[in-house]
């Protein structure tokens, strides 16, 4: 006898999902060891640093997490002798931790720090001070002896202003610094400039770029960086003669893939130059691949199991450290040798059981605005015979950002649904990265239109192909994805239920409470204010809550500073006023993204119960 879809017995409990999905935050060669950052869901999502020696380098209650630009990144670095430098989540000060002693603060209280880089024995960081008006950001050099903890003047400011900074890179001779900067009126994936400075005379040399990423010196007068003047982030080489004008950047390679990604956090690295002139780089076209680029000859692909959100964290000789996720393995850290091609698992990276988690199938459907890319995860459970006379229900996942992308990665969070008989369709709607600038810019001025059209097209395409029951498709998303969920429910006719995690519901309210990094983001996605105010009103799900006629689950963090609880509370009240079945849950001490194990467990249990009720009357 078959078991109804959605009610299959599964070993993937909410508790096991919460325990098995630590986030990896960078990795580094440290002497004879390898260190990596890893979250601890059971400790409120605390970010620790672990070592291949088996020890926890950063003990509780310390947590390495930055809040620079709100999304942070680059919260730790280490030297070859085993000294850890980290940004403590509680006070945002940089600390030094030497073996066997307590952490010592290196910066004064007040400003936040992130994007730490330890280069040639010198510690650099991106600093953000929100206590002054206007808010100031800077690239700074921090003395490692602790002298600046009580004397801010001991910190050397390399550059400071109201713009945004990322990727400080010191030249081999220590005489020049390069970085990426952008104004608050544009997002870094739209326009970002490469800048260099002579540290002796402070003379700046802005380089004409479109959306520069990750400068790295390969000589005292030569830089590598990523840019997308032709619509794809490609690696470029640039000569910087001190006595001559800046030369034109030369593409290292040209391919229909991106070496780069939306600069949401400060710690990502998409390539590493090796000492012999080769480059190990990530290329993304939906999924990632890792390639070795030689000065001569065609790029060679490394057979690495990670193929999603891969970061090339560090290089040493012919070896590089890779962190990310994969379509056949859990998130992890790997060491790859560019000479031999051997890839060794350092942490995580456990192969998944294909009987429970078959690789996602990449699909493309025709949408109103062009092709729509997505990854389909069908229901899978080796111990269950599915009903032979019906198609399975599906839940469409909508990623946040909206300038982000999904990669078809394997995860217990996906298996939580598919093992119970509910398929998952993960959609890279127009506006997503990973398919070039044209695809990314499809959403400009059209947020709430293109994204909604694309998720509807993907859902209907899956149903039309005979893979999903068109009457039992739900939709789920977080943050900007929650906006698309609610906007799609307003449209009606496709989805039987919706789950919004800290979703945007009122655009005008979001603009009023937006932090610096995203202060003008919405203007590019919808239109400038006040000229486009009518669009802000017309497109907001809160304005059109009376059109929603299916059940809705709303999940919200009480301490969310990106999408505050007032957004979810407003749509909750509107749904109640119109008699729409809904549930609202607010989690104390959670911000933008759930980190605590108890929150993850409760949210998943509520979601599966909600979907079982909405998509199936019962076993």
């Amino acid at each position: 006898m078959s078991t109804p879809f959605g009610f299959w017995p599964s070993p993937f409990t909410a508790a096991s999902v919460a325990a098995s999905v630590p986030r990896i935050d960078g990795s580094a060669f440290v002497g004879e060891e390898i260190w990596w950052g890893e979250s601890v869901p059971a400790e409120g999502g605390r970010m620790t640093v672990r070592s291949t020696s088996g020890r926890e380098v950063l003990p509780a209650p310390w947590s390495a997490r930055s809040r620079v630009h709100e999304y942070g990144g680059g919260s730790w670095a280490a030297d070859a002798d085993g000294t850890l430098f980290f940004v403590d989540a509680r006070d945002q000060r940089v600390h030094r931790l030497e073996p066997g002693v307590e952490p010592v603060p290196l910066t004064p209280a007040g400003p936040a720090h992130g994007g730490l880089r330890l280069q040639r024995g010198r510690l650099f960081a991106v600093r953000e001070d929100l206590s002054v008006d206007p808010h100031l950001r800077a690239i700074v050099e921090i003395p490692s002896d602790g002298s600046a903890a009580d004397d801010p003047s001991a910190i050397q400011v390399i550059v400071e202003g109201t713009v945004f900074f990322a990727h400080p890179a010191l030249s081999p001779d220590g005489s020049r610094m390069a970085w990426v900067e952008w104004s608050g009126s544009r997002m870094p994936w739209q326009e970002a400039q490469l800048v260099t400075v002579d540290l002796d005379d402070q003379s700046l040399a802005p380089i004409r770029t479109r959306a520069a990423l990750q400068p790295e010196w390969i000589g005292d007068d030569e830089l590598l960086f990523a840019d997308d003047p032709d619509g794809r982030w490609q690696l470029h080489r640039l000569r910087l003669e001190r006595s001559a004008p800046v030369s034109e950047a030369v593409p290292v390679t040209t391919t229909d893939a991106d070496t780069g990604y939306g600069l949401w956090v400060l710690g990502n690295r998409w390539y590493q130059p090796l000492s012999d002139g080769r480059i190990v780089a990530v290329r993304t076209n939906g999924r990632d691949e890792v390639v070795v680029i030689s000065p001569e000859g065609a790029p060679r692909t490394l057979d690495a199991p990670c193929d999603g959100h891969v970061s090339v964290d560090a290089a040493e000789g012919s070896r590089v450290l890779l962190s990310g996720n994969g379509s056949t393995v859990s998130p992890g850290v790997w060491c790859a040798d560019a000479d031999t091609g051997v890839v060794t698992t350092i942490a995580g990276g456990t192969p998944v059981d294909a009987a429970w988690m078959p690789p996602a199938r990449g699909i493309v459907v025709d949408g109103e605005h062009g092709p729509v890319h997505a990854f389909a995860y069908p229901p899978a459970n080796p111990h269950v015979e599915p009903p032979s006379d019906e198609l399975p229900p599906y839940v469409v996942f909508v990623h946040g950002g909206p300038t982000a992308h999904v990669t078809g990665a394997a995860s217990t969070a996906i298996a939580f649904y598919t093992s119970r008989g509910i398929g998952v369709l993960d959609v890279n709607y127009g506006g997503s990265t990973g398919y070039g600038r044209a695809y990314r810019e499809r959403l400009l001025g059209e947020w709430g239109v293109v994204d909604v059209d694309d998720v509807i097209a993907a859902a209907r395409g899956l149903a039309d192909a005979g893979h999903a029951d068109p009457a039992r498709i739900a939709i789920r998303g977080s943050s900007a994805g929650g906006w698309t969920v609610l906007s799609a429910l307003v449209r009606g006719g496709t989805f039987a239920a919706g789950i919004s995690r800290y979703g945007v519901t009122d655009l005008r309210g979001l603009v009023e409470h937006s932090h610096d990094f995203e202060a003008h983001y919405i203007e590019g996605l919808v239109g400038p204010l006040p000229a486009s105010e009518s669009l802000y009103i017309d497109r907001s799900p809160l304005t059109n809550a009376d059109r929603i006629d299916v059940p809705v689950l709303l999940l919200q963090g009480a301490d969310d500073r990106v999408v505050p609880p007032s957004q979810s509370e407003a749509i909750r009240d509107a749904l109640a006023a119109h008699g729409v079945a809904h549930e609202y849950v607010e989690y104390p001490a959670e911000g933008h993204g759930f980190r605590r194990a108890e929150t993850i467990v409760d949210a998943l249990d509520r979601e599966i119960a909600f979907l079982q009720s909405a998509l199936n009357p019962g076993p």
Side-chain angles (χ1 to χ4, degrees):
M1 181 178 178
S2 63
T3 304
F5 287 115
F7 293 90
W8 299 354
S10 170
F12 297 96
T13 64
S16 69
V17 172
S20 65
V21 288
R23 294 185 304 107
I24 302 296
D25 184 26
S27 55
F29 293 106
V30 182
E32 298 299 316
E33 301 178 346
I34 293 172
W35 292 5
W36 66 95
E38 181 180 307
S39 66
V40 187
E43 298 178 24
R46 182 178 72 87
M47 184 63 69
T48 188
V49 176
R50 300 191 187 280
S51 164
T52 46
S53 67
R55 67 191 177 97
E56 183 178 45
V57 179
L58 185 64
W62 301 96
S63 177
R65 178 170 294 123
S66 166
R67 295 297 292 267
V68 170
H69 304 171
E70 192 61 40
Y71 296 102
S75 62
W76 68 276
D79 67 18
D81 296 327
T83 298
L84 175 70
F85 301 91
F86 69 97
V87 178
D88 183 51
R90 294 167 295 184
D91 60 16
Q92 292 299 290
R93 301 169 74 182
V94 178
H95 292 70
R96 183 189 71 234
L97 174 59
E98 295 178 303
V101 300
E102 283 294 303
V104 175
L106 301 184
T107 57
H113 299 80
L116 298 188
R117 292 206 73 184
L118 191 64
Q119 303 173 86
R120 296 162 189 88
R122 301 166 67 179
L123 180 63
F124 299 92
V126 176
R127 184 178 72 187
E128 184 174 56
D129 189 348
L130 304 182
S131 67
V132 297
D133 189 17
H135 297 162
L136 291 177
R137 282 160 287 273
I139 292 175
V140 297
E141 181 175 357
I142 303 169
S144 60
D145 61 3
S147 59
D150 298 313
D151 179 13
S153 66
I155 294 175
Q156 180 184 357
V157 177
I158 308 299
V159 62
E160 186 172 42
T162 58
V163 298
F164 295 83
F165 302 103
H167 299 311
L170 184 68
S171 63
D173 64 5
S175 68
R176 290 199 277 193
M177 172 75 74
W179 65 83
V180 168
E181 68 177 52
W182 64 97
S183 74
S185 63
R186 303 286 280 173
M187 301 305 289
W189 46 85
Q190 296 174 311
E191 292 181 10
Q193 188 172 47
L194 174 63
V195 180
T196 67
V197 65
D198 188 307
L199 295 176
D200 292 328
D201 62 18
Q202 296 299 301
S203 57
L204 294 174
I207 314 300
R208 186 177 64 185
T209 52
R210 192 177 190 188
L213 289 169
Q214 195 192 333
E216 301 285 354
W217 295 90
I218 53 174
D220 293 334
D221 300 305
E222 194 167 12
L223 271 174
L224 281 176
F225 64 97
D227 197 12
D228 73 337
D230 299 316
R232 285 285 204 175
W233 273 301
Q234 307 282 345
L235 290 179
H236 292 71
R237 189 186 306 268
L238 179 68
R239 292 287 302 178
L240 295 165
E241 301 292 348
R242 295 176 189 268
S243 59
V246 174
S247 63
E248 288 293 320
V250 177
V252 174
T253 58
T254 302
T255 185
D256 190 24
D258 288 310
T259 296
Y261 180 68
L263 190 54
W264 286 100
V265 298
L266 296 175
N268 289 344
R269 316 207 76 76
W270 297 276
Y271 72 95
Q272 289 286 346
L274 304 183
S275 57
D276 61 6
R278 291 178 297 172
I279 305 166
V280 178
V282 178
R283 289 180 172 175
T284 305
N285 191 30
R287 281 190 166 114
D288 294 352
E289 66 173 356
V290 182
V291 298
V292 180
I293 304 170
S294 301
E296 66 286 328
R300 173 172 56 90
T301 301
L302 284 176
D303 187 19
C306 46
D307 56 12
H309 296 146
V310 178
S311 178
V312 190
D313 294 325
E316 184 177 83
S318 64
R319 299 185 302 159
V320 294
L321 292 178
L322 310 172
S323 59
N325 54 43
S327 53
T328 60
V329 294
S330 65
V333 177
W334 296 265
C335 184
D337 192 306
D339 287 343
T340 65
V342 173
V343 179
T344 305
T345 301
I346 302 301
T350 306
V352 300
D353 186 344
W356 287 100
M357 189 77 201
R361 179 171 57 93
I363 66 171
V364 182
V365 302
D366 293 328
E368 185 176 339
H369 310 279
V372 181
H373 297 269
F375 292 97
Y377 302 81
N381 187 317
H383 303 311
V384 171
E385 179 184 350
S388 59
D389 57 347
E390 58 182 283
L391 293 171
Y394 262 77
V395 56
V396 173
F397 277 20
V398 188
H399 67 66
T403 311
H405 79 282
V406 293
T407 63
S411 77
T412 55
I414 296 286
F416 181 78
Y417 301 94
T418 56
S419 63
R420 286 170 168 76
I422 299 175
V424 171
L425 181 65
D426 219 353
V427 182
N428 279 318
Y429 49 87
S432 302
T433 55
Y435 304 95
R437 181 178 280 261
Y439 195 85
R440 193 166 73 242
E441 292 188 342
R442 186 189 291 179
L443 200 61
L444 293 182
E446 298 295 331
W447 194 33
V449 179
V450 166
D451 51 323
V452 175
D453 289 341
D454 284 0
V455 296
I456 289 174
R460 289 178 175 172
L462 192 73
D464 290 346
H467 298 302
D469 183 344
R472 293 191 293 170
I473 301 178
I475 185 169
R476 171 194 188 267
S478 305
S479 189
W483 153 275
T484 303
V485 165
L486 296 168
S487 298
L489 297 184
V490 166
R491 188 82 64 86
T494 300
F495 300 108
I499 300 170
S500 171
R501 288 175 163 225
Y502 38 91
V504 177
T505 68
D506 175 19
L507 283 181
R508 289 183 300 173
L510 183 66
V511 171
E512 290 174 3
H513 293 95
S514 184
H515 55 101
D516 285 4
F517 180 71
E518 296 182 86
H520 297 278
Y521 189 24
I522 309 305
E523 290 185 3
L525 294 172
V526 181
L529 287 170
S532 302
E533 185 171 13
S534 61
L535 285 178
Y536 283 66
I537 297 171
D538 292 343
R539 289 189 192 171
S540 291
L542 184 60
T543 305
N544 304 287
D546 59 321
R547 300 181 190 175
I548 298 176
D549 58 2
V550 297
V552 181
L553 175 61
L554 303 166
L555 305 174
Q556 176 69 45
D559 295 340
D560 194 331
R561 299 195 300 186
V562 178
V563 181
S566 57
Q567 291 271 330
S568 291
E569 292 167 352
I571 197 73
R572 172 202 64 191
D573 295 343
L575 293 174
H578 295 292
V580 179
H582 69 280
E583 182 181 1
Y584 175 77
V585 183
E586 185 172 290
Y587 295 104
E590 289 286 6
H592 197 66
F594 301 153
R595 301 180 186 277
R596 297 172 177 269
E598 57 268 30
T599 301
I600 296 170
V601 169
D602 186 77
L604 287 173
D605 281 339
R606 288 179 186 274
E607 286 186 19
I608 197 65
F610 173 79
L611 292 175
Q612 288 171 334
S613 175
L615 301 182
N616 202 325

